[in-house]
């Protein structure tokens, strides 16, 4: 399942591009799946520790589920960084 920018987005008043807004994974989903970042050339995913708004906008962030939809109650936590500003996010 692709994690879309409409589901995860941070706005900033700083003049920066989407590649400058960086998300760092603080807490991974425990048992329901993995966050993966697609590699552009191979179209395979690697478990991710950090990604950018450009990755979200480009549809490269995925949640790979290990359980059926009715069993998914997990969450993950991120830290969004834009320049010197950071804010925590729970998804």
């Amino acid at each position: 399942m692709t994690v879309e920018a409409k589901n995860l987005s941070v706005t900033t008043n700083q003049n920066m591009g989407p590649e400058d807004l960086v998300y760092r994974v603080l807490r991974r989903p425990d048992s329901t799946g993995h966050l993966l970042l697609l590699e552009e050339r191979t179209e395979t995913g690697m478990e991710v520790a950090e990604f950018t708004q450009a990755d979200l906008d480009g549809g490269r962030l995925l949640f790979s589920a290990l359980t059926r939809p009715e069993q998914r109650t997990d969450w993950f936590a991120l830290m969004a960084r834009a320049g010197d500003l950071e804010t925590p996010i729970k998804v």
Side-chain angles (χ1 to χ4, degrees), residues 25 28-29 33-51 55 59-64:
V25 179
R28 299 177 188 287
H34 303 284
L35 287 174
L36 304 175
L37 188 62
L38 286 179
E39 294 184 20
E40 292 181 46
R41 294 185 181 158
T42 63
E43 293 188 13
T44 60
M46 297 184 63
E47 194 161 8
V48 64
E50 194 172 270
F51 56 93
D55 293 323
R60 292 185 293 274
L61 186 68
L62 303 176
F63 179 76
S64 177

Side-chain angles (χ1 to χ4, degrees), residues 4-56:
E4 297 177 354
K6 69 180 181 181
N7 303 113
L8 178 61
S9 181
V10 174
T11 56
T12 176
N13 60 359
Q14 297 190 20
N15 186 17
M16 50 183 35
E19 66 280 351
D20 299 319
L21 179 53
V22 178
Y23 297 89
R24 184 170 34 100
V25 179
L26 300 176
R27 181 193 182 276
R28 299 177 188 287
D30 283 336
S31 60
T32 59
H34 303 284
L35 287 174
L36 304 175
L37 188 62
L38 286 179
E39 294 184 20
E40 292 181 46
R41 294 185 181 158
T42 63
E43 293 188 13
T44 60
M46 297 184 63
E47 194 161 8
V48 64
E50 194 172 270
F51 56 93
T52 67
Q53 186 68 43
D55 293 323
L56 279 172

